[in-house]
Amino acid sequence: MEATGIAHSQFKVAQIDDRLYGAFLEHLGRAIYTGIYEPDHPTADENGMRQDVIELVKELDVPVVRYPGGNFVSAYNWEDGIGPKENRPVRLDLAWHTSDSNEVGIHEFAEWCASTNTQMMLAVNLGSRGLDEARNFVEYVNHPGGSYWSDLRRANGREEPWNVRMWCLGNEMDGPWQIGHKDAVEYGKLAAETAKAMRAFDKNLELIVCGSSHSNMPTYPQWEATVLEHTYDVVDYISLHMYFGNPEGNAANYLALNHKLDDYIVAVQGVINFIKAKKRSKKDIYICFDEWNVWYHSREQDRKILEGQQGWPHAPALLEDIYNFEDVLQVGLILNTFIRRSDVVKIACIAQLVNVIAPIMTEKGGDAWRQTIYYPYYFASRFGRGTALQLTFECPTYDTENYKGVTFADVSAVHNEDDGTVTVFAINRHATETVDLAISLQGFDGLTVIDHQVMTHDDLRAVNVADNQKEVAPKAGTGAAVDGDTLTAALAPYSYQMIRLGR
Ligand code: AHR
């Protein structure tokens, strides 16, 4: 089967915001405790942070990490996580039916972000709390000194403010499961007033208001319209979430789900434009897709803990999806969708980063390793920076119950004008047929293939686990070439490919 396309240096979607490759860490399961933080671990640094995990996060070059939740944030007291550790209270976490020692709080997280070269994106609690705690938190984090909260931060050992720019106004406030759930009008008013107060402190903060938790929510997309009616003038981004799964074991359907993601983005872009027009506004709002990933493998196993049958354990193994090769393809497809929509999706966070539905897994006291999905995320984060190209693309298609015209091959391309490279990310969704890809490269001179990485496996269910950590891993590809001005590559059935072109 053949697929053809044209990439022209002047056909551009947008300059990709580096923060498209962000991630998320929540006080949930073993994300924090025995994930990033484990003072007794052989690799722990002076802050108790696992250096083996830090190294993997650095390898991913994660630009931003959202913290501390997630559902957790909606009953979280940020003040519990400051001051001497021995004085910090143990709290029951109502979102995940666990307990939290609060050994990790804003200071520890900030240190960890510095160690991993990433920026913080902080969420305020608009569930059980509100404007007052939010403004105090911002003052604690960002004010230099000479006020109650900033001086407390200094007394707690941090002289300089952290100057965090990105702030989430709550989490999934449309969800009835959320502690302090609100309807769209209640939330819109609270978010607007909180944003106003935060902007009164610093008008340059980047504020993110909650959109829908997913596009199956009964309130979607009216939720976005109502919330933006109240907040359009005082926020910068609207947050969306979406998780993907294949519980029926139907690969063709599963691998078409990025169409659902695409529909979601396009619809919310429409809502943003509608409210902008209605308000006669000149301002633009963008999408912050601050939770996305595959999440379904661990659902059954988690049920008992979440139903409270096991008390209030500290850092139990929750949401520990073990990803397979099929999920590599899915994560590649999701990332391609974000690249193609990078004119409207400016920030995105894989949810999450360590242990909890995560590309990095750890064993308490043991190893840290790369799950299968680590690799498509790694390639996109490393090489997907620059300008997203607007490709023309012709390829045979298939239909599913929900989506028509799903191309067997899915391709995105990014031009990095700084180093002159063009990187093509391609997924073949076909179970048995190779796709012969030919992309005409126009407006680029003298490109040749400088790197080609391929992920394939004869078993869609193959996984990377503690005692077999490299079962699914990229290998150097062969056969991709630039002939004249055309890139050709044979995309093997069910494969993920990253092809870099340079001089
Ligand atoms: O990432 C896991 C959970 O998924 C988050 O806590 C919540 O925001 C979402 O429902």
Side-chain angles (χ1 to χ4, degrees):
M1 161 186 326
E2 290 181 358
T4 57
I6 301 172
H8 193 294
S9 61
Q10 297 308 309
F11 294 174
K12 302 173 184 182
V13 176
Q15 175 72 30
I16 294 171
D17 189 319
D18 286 352
R19 298 174 299 177
L20 197 67
Y21 306 113
F24 172 40
L25 274 173
E26 178 170 2
H27 281 241
L28 195 185
R30 300 192 309 115
I32 304 295
Y33 304 107
T34 74
I36 65 167
Y37 177 79
E38 191 178 333
D40 298 335
H41 192 272
T43 71
D45 64 15
E46 66 282 7
N47 300 316
M49 296 296 176
R50 287 182 62 150
Q51 283 178 310
D52 54 349
V53 174
I54 288 174
E55 287 312 310
L56 288 173
V57 174
K58 278 165 71 176
E59 185 176 274
L60 285 169
D61 197 10
V62 180
V64 57
V65 177
R66 177 172 175 250
Y67 172 88
N71 296 340
F72 171 81
V73 80
S74 293
Y76 177 57
N77 303 331
W78 66 268
E79 306 89 329
D80 291 343
I82 60 175
K85 286 192 184 177
E86 59 277 16
N87 297 341
R88 296 187 192 174
V90 173
R91 296 278 187 197
L92 299 185
D93 165 27
L94 302 176
W96 301 105
H97 215 278
T98 54
S99 59
D100 195 311
S101 64
N102 281 302
E103 281 167 77
V104 173
I106 181 63
H107 289 257
E108 292 75 21
F109 178 65
E111 287 291 330
W112 181 84
C113 285
S115 307
T116 54
N117 305 325
T118 195
Q119 291 177 55
M120 295 190 264
M121 179 200 283
L122 296 177
V124 300
N125 173 354
L126 293 190
S128 67
R129 308 183 87 190
L131 186 159
D132 213 33
E133 293 78 10
R135 70 168 179 131
N136 294 343
F137 193 21
V138 175
E139 181 182 316
Y140 188 89
V141 170
N142 280 0
H143 195 57
S147 70
Y148 177 79
W149 291 108
S150 58
D151 286 344
L152 188 56
R153 181 198 68 240
R154 294 166 69 208
N156 285 334
R158 171 74 191 192
E159 184 61 31
E160 296 301 317
W162 288 294
N163 204 13
V164 172
R165 311 316 303 156
M166 287 165 276
W167 293 83
C168 304
L169 300 165
N171 174 71
E172 291 190 350
M173 298 307 298
D174 61 328
W177 60 86
Q178 203 68 215
I179 303 293
H181 159 69
K182 291 164 181 62
D183 68 31
V185 173
E186 288 170 327
Y187 171 65
K189 287 183 177 171
L190 174 61
E193 288 306 311
T194 306
K196 195 170 89 185
M198 290 166 84
R199 285 211 188 284
F201 171 77
D202 180 350
K203 65 179 176 4
N204 294 320
L205 297 179
E206 293 183 84
L207 301 181
I208 302 149
V209 74
C210 294
S212 293
S213 302
H214 53 79
S215 62
N216 294 337
M217 292 296 291
T219 47
Y220 162 80
Q222 185 56 50
W223 172 275
E224 279 77 359
T226 306
V227 165
L228 287 177
E229 285 265 8
H230 287 91
T231 59
Y232 199 92
D233 296 336
V234 286
V235 301
D236 305 286
Y237 301 91
I238 184 154
S239 137
L240 299 181
H241 295 174
M242 188 174 260
Y243 290 98
F244 303 82
N246 186 16
E248 301 85 27
N250 182 329
N253 283 348
Y254 180 51
L255 298 178
L257 286 178
N258 68 321
H259 282 238
K260 182 174 183 178
L261 172 64
D262 200 61
D263 289 349
Y264 192 22
I265 293 167
V266 171
V268 173
Q269 181 177 22
V271 176
I272 293 170
N273 290 342
F274 170 70
I275 300 297
K276 179 181 177 184
K278 199 171 168 194
K279 288 187 172 280
R280 304 331 184 225
S281 176
K282 295 205 174 1
K283 179 182 170 191
D284 288 313
I285 300 266
Y286 296 99
I287 292 173
C288 169
F289 218 107
D290 53 27
E291 285 187 35
W292 67 267
N293 204 349
V294 174
W295 176 12
Y296 78 103
H297 299 284
S298 62
R299 295 266 184 190
E300 188 49 33
Q301 158 192 324
D302 290 341
R303 203 177 37 81
K304 282 198 189 123
I305 292 180
L306 297 179
E307 286 174 359
Q309 294 168 19
Q310 295 182 358
W312 299 85
H314 184 254
L318 274 175
L319 281 64
E320 296 205 359
D321 273 39
I322 304 301
Y323 292 114
N324 59 33
F325 171 64
E326 188 180 52
D327 302 324
V328 169
L329 306 177
Q330 181 68 282
V331 165
L333 291 162
I334 295 167
L335 288 161
N336 272 0
T337 307
F338 288 143
I339 289 169
R340 288 190 294 259
R341 294 291 175 200
S342 55
D343 53 336
V344 58
V345 182
K346 294 295 174 189
I347 307 172
C349 302
I350 189 171
Q352 299 190 9
L353 188 56
V354 184
N355 288 334
V356 172
I357 42 174
I360 298 170
M361 283 302 289
T362 72
E363 260 185 352
K364 184 169 191 269
D367 282 351
W369 66 95
R370 300 166 187 83
Q371 289 235 54
T372 64
I373 62 166
Y374 182 96
Y375 297 103
Y377 176 45
Y378 166 84
F379 288 126
S381 176
R382 283 274 164 179
F383 306 121
R385 304 195 187 201
T387 302
L389 295 175
Q390 182 80 61
L391 297 176
T392 65
F393 193 58
E394 298 281 329
C395 179
T397 62
Y398 69 98
D399 295 341
T400 67
E401 214 174 288
N402 296 317
Y403 303 102
K404 301 242 174 300
V406 180
T407 53
F408 281 107
D410 185 284
V411 177
S412 72
V414 178
H415 181 201
N416 184 325
E417 281 150 4
D418 294 336
D419 63 12
T421 57
V422 173
T423 303
V424 174
F425 302 99
I427 293 98
N428 181 358
R429 298 176 166 106
H430 204 291
T432 54
E433 280 196 42
T434 296
V435 174
D436 290 313
L437 179 70
I439 297 185
S440 167
L441 304 162
Q442 303 183 3
F444 306 98
D445 279 335
L447 291 178
T448 58
V449 175
I450 56 170
D451 192 10
H452 179 194
Q453 297 291 323
V454 180
M455 296 187 73
T456 53
H457 203 287
D458 51 18
D459 181 3
L460 283 176
R461 309 276 160 252
V463 296
N464 292 345
V465 286
D467 58 4
N468 185 11
Q469 298 175 9
K470 296 189 175 157
E471 180 62 33
V472 179
K475 295 193 175 65
T478 53
V482 179
D483 187 8
D485 68 355
T486 302
L487 164 69
T488 56
L491 310 179
Y494 283 153
S495 67
Y496 169 91
Q497 323 249 342
M498 190 281 301
I499 306 169
R500 290 191 82 213
L501 309 172
R503 292 180 187 89

